[in-house]
Structures are given as structure tokens and as C-alpha cells.
Amino acid sequence: MEVILFKRAALSAAVIAAMIAPGMALAVQDTMSPSYGKSYEAFVEDAKLSGGVFYFQRERDRKDGAGDGQYHSNLSHSTAQLALNFNSGYAWDVVGVDVGGYGAMDLAVDESNPVNEENEFSFWGNSWGGSDGRSENGASLTNAALKFKFFDGAVTAKGGLTQLYVPGIIGVNWSYQPGTYRGGQVEGNFGNLYLTYAIADEYKAPWYRDTQKFSRAKAWMDPFADENVIDYIHGLAARYTFENGMAVTAAFGQSEDYMDSYHFKLAHKFDVLGGLNTSYQFYGSKTDDYTKDGGEIETYDGLAWQQAITFGWGAGPYGFRLEGLWTKAEGSEGNYLPRLTRGYGNSQGANEIWWDSRSDWNENNEKAVFFGVTRTLDDLVGAAGWTVGLSGAYGWDAENGDSTIKNGKEWAANFDLMYTVQEGSLKGTLFKLHYTDYNNQQDDKGSWYYPNMFASERDVKFHIIMPFTVL
């Protein structure tokens, strides 16, 4: 085991060194130039201090299908956030620093409701799995990282507490703020070719205060017992964009002794329908069936995957989306997880499919389709800044992980109303109302009859996002 870990660590270091070393040589040359004595001033002169004030209110009712068949309050709360971020310039055109954080306060919480553990806009506790089921007020860092650039920015790197993104493999959870890894990333843009590599050993979702180790177990399964701890995750990706606009992305990710993940994306824009954006996307994962001490902890039986086809086009003030999903997730999990670790919020993947329709539409053998239309109202007198949207999703053929339960169905309808302030001191402030009517066709059999398909819900979310710049 020690030899394997050493080889992987050496490989990681070699990849980073291979991309950074030429730039380091360039940096040394910069220190010998006549302008060296002044170039550190860019650290302050190019710095930015910005942030935002945020408000979130949610009212969610969930059906007690196996009980009285009625909807009951499931979440009821309002939360405010204040975020502040400092992004320096690059001293000597090489090195800088990013520091940022935020505070969150619940303004109202229904204390009579025993289930308010899903407020992702305040805090569930200090670390993953440590919540007592009640949200808390507090503050947390999102960034505390060094950043570097070389070759006039063609190669960049960062390390510390930061956000990592490897297409299709590693991403972050979001509230208004992003999740945070303890790790680093290097990226290179070489003409039409983009390359990146990232590695991390800890993570926190934005509703936790502290980073914590990765785990192959869920939060209630003794996740940080020695046999379940994952020491690191890492991933690399390459994307090539052809002159005709077609882009091909391939990526690979790995969590130590647990999961290998794969991603492929083919995207192209056609000169029809005002610009038709299309893509085919593949996400796949294979897990090791055994823990470090030899115990069995099955997640997937063979290769689990999710495939997607997407279409997006515009017509004047209208925007349209048509997307489809197909999932295979045989094994004890029974649904496809787009991340390199087990439990929700312990790390995050980078699946691009987001329908904001409550369900993940990722049950074993499930097929699902989504259609949405938005309309900006800028062309109407007195309606500048307004946008409305309607969308819906439908999933069928859902199964549990061993296919003993079949033919599951679910659907959702959504309504969106958005307004962006067009002028004045609040210019850029966004007001957004989102409503989802989600329906599980198996309510009478109880929530979680399928592994990741909860009971029917009516969900109302209201956002106010007010960005500001200090300098």
C-alpha cells in the first residue's frame, strides 16, 4: 500500500511540475529584468475587493403518501448571507493570493418542524456528518489560497483552501457560496488545447464550517473509521476545440482505493435555429468492493453510468432547452452519484445536467427528459429586466439496484420569475422566484421506495442576490 501511495503522489507531483517548471524558469528571468523592483506593486494595484448580500426564503411541503396522503411542512426558513472576497493582482506577474469568506444567519426557522436539516444556506454543523439536524448561524472561509501564472497566463496554478474544477469529475457544492477543497490545481491553455490536473485531501460543502477527510461511507455509517477514510481524490482532463466550434472533452478521476470515474463530452454549435448548442455527455464510475481492512462495502456492481443528450437554442426573446438522461446504477447504491466519494456533501462531482426540479433523475435504469422555455420581457414597454420561465421533467423505468423493484415514474413542473435591477445604486441586483411541483408516482409505497426518490413535494424558493464592489 505504501508503495502504491508513493507512486501516485510522485505521479501527481510530476504532472504539476511538468506544467509549472517552464514558467518557474521564466519567473527567475523576470527577477533579473529592470522592472523587477516595481512589479510587486501589481499585487495591490490590480487587487479587487468584492462581495454580496444574499437573502433566501424557502417553503417546502412534502406528501405523507403512506400516511394520511396529505402535504405537510417539510422546510420553512429564511436566511441571510454576507460574503467578502479579496483577489490580489500578481506580484512580478507570477504570484498572488485569494482570500474570501461569508457569514450566514437564519432569520426565521419553523422550530416546530423536526426536519429542518436541509438548509444549505446556513450551517448544519462544523463538519460533514456532524449535524444534529438543526441549522446554525456562523461564518466560514471559502478561499485562502496562493495563485500563480506563467507564460502570460497560459499556465495557471493555485493551492490551499480553494475551489477545484475538473470537467465531469471534480466540482463543488453551491449555496450562494461554493464548497472548498484543501488541495491544488494546475491548468494550461495551449491554443485550442486545454489541460488540467487537480488533487485534494479534504473538503467542506458551503453548509459546513470546516474541511474534513473524504469517506467511502455515508454519514450514518461511521464514515471516518480508519477503514472508510479516503486519503485523497484527484482528476485530470483535456479538452480540444476545433476551428468549426466542435469541442471534445475527456477526463479521468480517482479516489484512493475506492472509485475510478470517467467522463467524455462532445459538444457542437450548429448554425441553425439562431445557434443550436448540442452535446453528448457520458459519466461513468467503478468502485472497489472492499474497505482498507478487507471489509465489504459495495456501491456499484460493475460500471455505473449516466448518459445525457442536450439541445439549447434561441428565437428572439425566447430560449429553449431539451435534454435527456439515461442511467445505469446496479448494486447497493441503486442510483448514480456524480462524485468520487460516497455521502452527499463529502465531495462533489461536476455533472453539468441541472434541471432544478427537485429529483436527481438518476435511479438505476431510469430514462428522463426535460423541456424548458424562458422569455425575456425587455422588448415590452416597462418590463426591462424581467424574465419568466416554464419547464418540466418526466422520468420512467426506474429500478432499485438489483432490479427487484421496477417501473418507477416521477415528474415535475417548474415556474420561474426573475427581475434584475437595470439602473441606480442597486443595479445588478437579482430577484428570483422558483416553484416546483414534484410528483412521485409511488407515494403510496412510502418515501425512498426507490433509493433516491423521495415523496411528492411542493417547493417554493425566493432569492435576492445583491453583488457589490468595494475596490
Side-chain angles (χ1 to χ4, degrees), residues 433-453:
L433 177 68
H434 178 83
Y435 172 72
T436 294
D437 181 3
Y438 168 75
N439 296 268
N440 182 336
Q441 299 294 87
Q442 296 74 221
D443 275 331
D444 59 328
K445 297 179 174 62
S447 190
W448 314 111
Y449 182 69
Y450 291 95
N452 190 38
M453 196 185 294

Side-chain angles (χ1 to χ4, degrees), residues 238-242 246-250 264-267:
R239 179 174 61 243
Y240 189 84
T241 303
F242 294 88
M246 180 180 291
V248 179
T249 304
F264 174 80
K265 178 181 177 182
L266 178 64

Side-chain angles (χ1 to χ4, degrees), residues 209-230:
R209 293 192 188 92
D210 301 327
T211 61
Q212 197 154 334
K213 283 288 186 181
F214 303 116
S215 177
R216 70 186 68 215
K218 294 185 177 180
W220 57 87
M221 298 169 60
D222 195 11
F224 298 113
D226 288 345
E227 65 270 19
N228 290 327
V229 169
I230 295 170

